[in-house]
Each structure stands twice: as structure tokens, then as C-alpha cells.
Amino acid sequence: MRQLSCLLIATTMSSSALALSPDEFQTTDNDVEFADLVKRLDFNGADIRLKYKDSGTSVGMKVKRGDEKIGKWAPPNSATDPEAQVVAYTLGRFLGMRDLVVPSAYYVVQGPALATFVQLMNSARERNKWRIKNRSDNLKRATTGQILGVFMIELDIEKAEVKGLANDRGNTINRNHPIARFIRADGPVPSSSSKIKLDGIKAEDGSIPTETELELARQFSDIMVLDILTGEWDRFSGGNVEGGHVGDRAVFISRDNGGASMADAGNFNKYSSIVTRFNRFTIERVQKLIQLLNDPNEKPQLVAALQLKSDPKFLLARCNQVLAHVKALVTKYGEKAVYF
């Protein structure tokens, strides 16, 4: 299996965005590879096979090139906002967590591919009320001749739901789970040597991957910060707390990031009660984000690089909330308790 860092690759950036400084975003050769994939991707091509995505609450299509799965495409759904999905990845790269967040890019479906999508929706026997609504909404969108959605790459990694960390009924975290306690300043300090498993995550041979308490706690704290900044509301509703493994190492994966919005106040109050211990580097990147968003010269380039379509005032407000939250916690608990 290839390393995870070689799998989670970047969305495209405009040439003007690159003037911001490539060093601000985690970038590898694979980022260029994904940008090239998206640039050449043509759902109307003779080698592309489109199949209905019949799982979950969101309608969409699975995408194959020949016999190879290359990803899936989702239009706007009640729990899929294409902008939030794309920005979650570009923002994750900026914050230094590219190994956790799945690459995504905007993609417009039109022509024969759109006709195929309409046919697939009309042929489906939907029973879930959300899928029925989402199908109806997208059949209406299709009458315009095109639908702007999001293309998400197929991961070459075994992934599954992490059992026990989510409180599905309350759409929040299970506060009794070890990870939930490790990401709290008043909770136990995670060990850099003691290893734990993620329930529900196992290797193909049946073995159980593990990772240090510290690494997994940092990863999930980072995901919580990203969820705040993207206005995520759907993380704990069921099946969206996911993990995988790289060799014998367990890892969190932030894959389904579309149950969010970049265009409202977000859910800071909910998340600020969940995460009170942070990766210091991530918070330093949030500070950098604030600096760039407040700089009239850098702001346009940053917004373009993040592929943000909504008013950036919402992202800036969320960044300021996170920073104020961390500062208040440091005053209350001290830096050693607040930072990993």
C-alpha cells in the first residue's frame, strides 16, 4: 500500500494564487498530479464510466476510468456543500493537515454526463426521505443544463467508521471516549509512547493498527479545528468519524466534509465545548490565516488559493473565535495543558 501522504493530494490552484508563496500550502509532486487529473477530467469522455451513488443520504455518481475507480462526484445535497468540501481540503493543506483530509475539486457536469445522471436518478428506487428530497432538488438543477458539484478522489486506503467516538443521537462527540478526553485541557495528557487502537479500524489481514495516544489526539483535535473553520455540522450525525491505517499505524481521515457551510456564523459554541487542547502548529497557522485575511494585498490571492467563493468575512470571524478561545484557555489552564 502506498503511503497516505502520497494519496491525499491537492486541489487545483489558479496561477495568481501561487504568488501567495507555495510554502504556505503543503505541496508534493502528487499535488501537481491531482491538479493535472482534474484539468484533464472529462465525464463525457469515452473511457469514463458513471454509476449511481446509492449509499448515504446524498445522491451523486461514482466515477471510473475504464475499470479503475478514480473517485466520486456529488452535486449540492442537504448534507453536501461542494464549496465546503473543496475548502476543507485546501484549508487543511494550509493548516498543515494534508494527510488527514481528502482532496476535492469543483467539477461541472453537463452534456451527456448530465443526461446520464438524470437517467440514474429517475431510475433509482429511493426510499430514504433525504435521498428523495436531494434527488428532486437535483432534477430541478439539471434543467439549467449543468450542475456545479465536487469531485473527490478515490482513496487507496482501507477506511471505516471509528466506533464509539460519536454520539449519533446527539450529533456530538461521546465525551467518555479516550480521544474525547485527550482533546480537553482538563483531561488526561495523551502519551507519546502508549499506543491505542481505533475501534472499527482493522487491516486487510485482520490485524489491529495502533498509534500513540498523542498522535491520534492531535489528529482529531486538528479535525475539530478544521470543522470549526468550515462550519461543519454533520461530523457526528453517523458514519462521518472515519479512520484508516498506513501499514500497522492507525490514522483518522476527514473524508466527508460537505455537511458544512462557508457562508454563515458556523457552530463555534458546539465545538468550543468539545475541543480545548490543540496542536500548537495548527494554531500558529490559524494566526497566519488571520494575518493574510487582514492584509488587503494578500487576501485576494489567499481567497483564490483556498477556492473560497463565499464572503471571507465568515472564515475570518471563525479564525478569530478559535484564537480567542485558545487564549482564554491558556489563561485558565496554562500552555502545557492547552497545547500538545
Side-chain angles (χ1 to χ4, degrees):
M1 179 179 294
R2 291 177 291 169
Q3 290 296 306
L4 188 62
S5 60
C6 293
L7 298 168
L8 303 187
I9 50 185
T11 53
T12 58
M13 289 186 183
S14 67
S15 58
S16 62
L18 295 178
L20 178 67
S21 172
D23 294 339
E24 297 294 357
F25 291 81
Q26 290 183 324
T27 304
T28 70
D29 290 343
N30 288 316
D31 301 327
V32 178
E33 181 182 329
F34 182 70
D36 185 59
L37 167 65
V38 172
K39 185 184 299 183
R40 293 183 294 105
L41 190 60
D42 180 7
F43 282 14
N44 295 319
D47 60 340
I48 294 295
R49 302 288 181 267
L50 302 173
K51 183 179 178 182
Y52 196 51
K53 187 186 82 66
D54 55 7
S55 59
T57 60
S58 295
V59 300
M61 295 189 288
K62 300 175 182 178
V63 186
K64 283 187 174 182
R65 175 173 285 150
D67 294 328
E68 178 190 7
K69 295 179 181 178
I70 61 172
K72 68 178 182 178
W73 175 84
N77 278 265
S78 55
T80 301
D81 182 308
E83 179 188 24
Q85 181 73 33
V86 171
V87 173
Y89 182 65
T90 56
L91 189 56
R93 286 183 59 208
F94 183 91
L95 295 175
M97 57 182 78
R98 75 180 302 278
D99 284 356
L100 306 181
V101 187
V102 173
S104 307
Y106 296 113
Y107 188 86
V108 176
V109 165
Q110 54 192 343
L114 182 60
T116 296
F117 184 43
V118 169
Q119 180 183 14
L120 290 170
M121 287 191 288
N122 282 325
S123 300
R125 294 184 176 182
E126 300 290 12
R127 294 180 175 84
N128 178 278
K129 67 177 183 178
W130 292 112
R131 291 187 63 86
I132 292 172
K133 179 182 185 305
N134 290 327
R135 176 176 63 179
S136 176
D137 289 345
N138 280 289
L139 284 171
K140 291 177 182 176
R141 290 188 180 97
T143 61
T144 66
Q146 62 180 30
I147 301 178
L148 173 65
V150 57
F151 173 73
M152 293 158 278
I153 197 170
E154 180 74 17
L155 290 182
D156 184 19
I157 183 173
E158 198 74 18
K159 57 187 180 297
E161 180 182 2
V162 176
K163 303 293 185 181
L165 184 49
N167 173 358
D168 294 358
R169 290 186 177 182
N171 190 18
T172 188
I173 200 167
N174 172 12
R175 294 178 182 271
N176 293 320
H177 193 280
I179 295 295
R181 291 187 280 116
F182 288 146
I183 65 173
R184 294 194 55 81
D186 58 356
V189 177
S191 169
S192 60
S193 57
S194 296
K195 293 188 175 183
I196 57 174
K197 64 179 182 177
L198 296 176
D199 289 339
I201 306 303
K202 62 180 180 180
E204 294 87 341
D205 62 2
S207 61
I208 304 300
T210 61
E211 184 53 276
T212 64
E213 295 174 347
L214 178 61
E215 177 60 24
L216 289 176
R218 275 181 176 158
Q219 289 179 11
F220 203 70
S221 175
D222 282 348
I223 291 173
M224 293 295 92
V225 172
L226 186 63
D227 281 353
I228 293 173
L229 298 185
T230 56
E232 179 69 53
W233 56 266
D234 195 34
R235 179 64 61 205
F236 300 104
S237 65
N240 291 332
V241 177
E242 293 183 295
H245 68 93
V246 179
D248 61 355
R249 297 175 56 196
V251 63
F252 279 107
I253 300 172
S254 183
R255 182 178 63 90
D256 192 343
N257 303 307
S261 172
M262 300 304 305
D264 57 32
N267 300 289
F268 173 75
N269 290 338
K270 172 180 177 177
Y271 282 92
S272 63
S273 67
I274 291 175
V275 58
T276 56
R277 181 175 281 153
F278 302 89
N279 183 342
R280 186 186 293 272
F281 177 79
T282 303
I283 300 307
E284 289 174 351
R285 296 304 293 164
V286 172
Q287 290 176 306
K288 181 66 175 181
L289 195 60
I290 292 172
Q291 176 189 333
L292 294 173
L293 287 171
N294 280 320
D295 187 322
N297 295 318
E298 298 282 6
K299 178 180 174 181
Q301 298 178 52
L302 176 64
V303 170
L306 293 175
Q307 301 186 58
L308 179 64
K309 297 178 180 292
S310 298
D311 192 325
K313 70 179 183 181
F314 297 108
L315 176 58
L316 178 59
R318 295 169 186 177
C319 289
N320 282 323
Q321 284 180 314
V322 169
L323 195 58
H325 179 51
V326 173
K327 288 180 177 178
L329 290 167
V330 168
T331 298
K332 182 175 182 179
Y333 295 107
E335 288 199 5
K336 289 185 177 180
V338 172
Y339 289 116
F340 292 111

